[in-house]
Amino acid sequence: MEINSETKIYALIGNPVKYSLSPLIHNAAFEELELNCVYLAFKTKNAEDAINGMKCLNIAGGNVTVPYKVEVIGYLDEIEQTAEKIGAVNTIVNKKGHLKGHNTDWIGAIRALEEKTGIKNKNILMLGAGGTARAIGFGVKEKGGNLTILNRTSHKAKELAGEVGCSYGGLDKMEESVDYADILINTTPVGMYPDTKNSLVPEELLKEDIIVFDVIYNPPKTKLIKDAEEKGCKTINGLKMLVYQGAAAFEIWTGKKAPVELMEKVVVRS
């Protein structure tokens, strides 16, 4: 597709963005549907400046990644109802300078989970209390799961647990929490490239009957996922969530059905 003055630009803002696969999946989808659009990743040092830049440059929309999913809310003109409940935004639409925030993270995460298991009445242990954790926590509660949040700084876990309505603790509660969990979800960056040798969960705590979901997709198999596979656990890596949340964002931007199979093939080949 030739880039010209009519090309719509979609932007990923965050830090880091160097290893993001979002440009790959969205540009493949734009090309497949013959849309005059391009998706670019911008390493962002200031969220407010980035949002003002989107308006000034007439960027059609985009995504928000760490560490700005919560902060960015204060700079947008409107927040979609679900994103407002979650308290985090990962998708933005620009309509004539009016920026509206959405959240598709929860859609991607829940769809990825429900391919492997039901959620209702399951004991779910979630590690992390950032923007992604907010989205997944909301989705888990909507589906009737029993959620516990653990975070390195327990006061952040307490804050999010208060909003979601669940139990919480610090990482010192890991052993007892994993013991009763049916599903374990890592929403932290621990294990992400290039920090691939680390995991928050000691291997010896994992048990065969637990489902382990790591939202990290680079690498596709984190240490946590590898350890879980060795224990015989069912696992879900972050590629599924990436594709499904990306497809939902694509449909919000374009009003067209996302080529999900193509988007998944692109990330698997990468």
Side-chain angles (χ1 to χ4, degrees), residues 9-10 13 32 35 78 90 96 111 113 131 154 174 189 215-216 229 239:
I9 298 173
Y10 292 87
I13 63 171
E32 177 72 10
L35 300 176
E78 183 182 357
N90 79 311
K96 298 181 179 179
R111 183 173 174 183
L113 264 175
S154 59
M174 181 76 72
V215 304
I216 293 169
E229 287 180 343
L239 290 176

Side-chain angles (χ1 to χ4, degrees), residues 22 62 67 92 140 145 165 215 259:
S22 292
I92 297 172
V140 164
V215 304

Side-chain angles (χ1 to χ4, degrees), residues 206-221:
L206 296 169
K207 54 187 180 179
E208 185 178 353
D209 57 350
I210 195 171
I211 294 172
V212 177
F213 177 19
D214 197 332
V215 304
I216 293 169
Y217 60 80
N218 187 9
K221 288 191 177 184

Side-chain angles (χ1 to χ4, degrees), residues 17-38:
V17 295
K18 183 177 181 180
Y19 301 107
S20 174
L21 297 180
S22 292
L24 198 63
I25 65 171
H26 286 299
N27 286 322
F30 290 146
E31 184 175 356
E32 177 72 10
L33 273 62
E34 298 183 346
L35 300 176
N36 187 10
C37 304
V38 65

Side-chain angles (χ1 to χ4, degrees), residues 2-3 22 25 33 37 52 56 71-72 76 94 111 139 167-168 171 177 179 182 216 228 238 252:
E2 180 183 352
I3 296 175
S22 292
I25 65 171
L33 273 62
C37 304
N52 289 335
C56 291
E71 180 187 351
V72 76
L76 299 175
N94 183 357
R111 183 173 174 183
S167 56
Y168 71 93
L171 295 182
S177 300
D179 189 53
D182 300 307
I216 293 169
I252 290 171

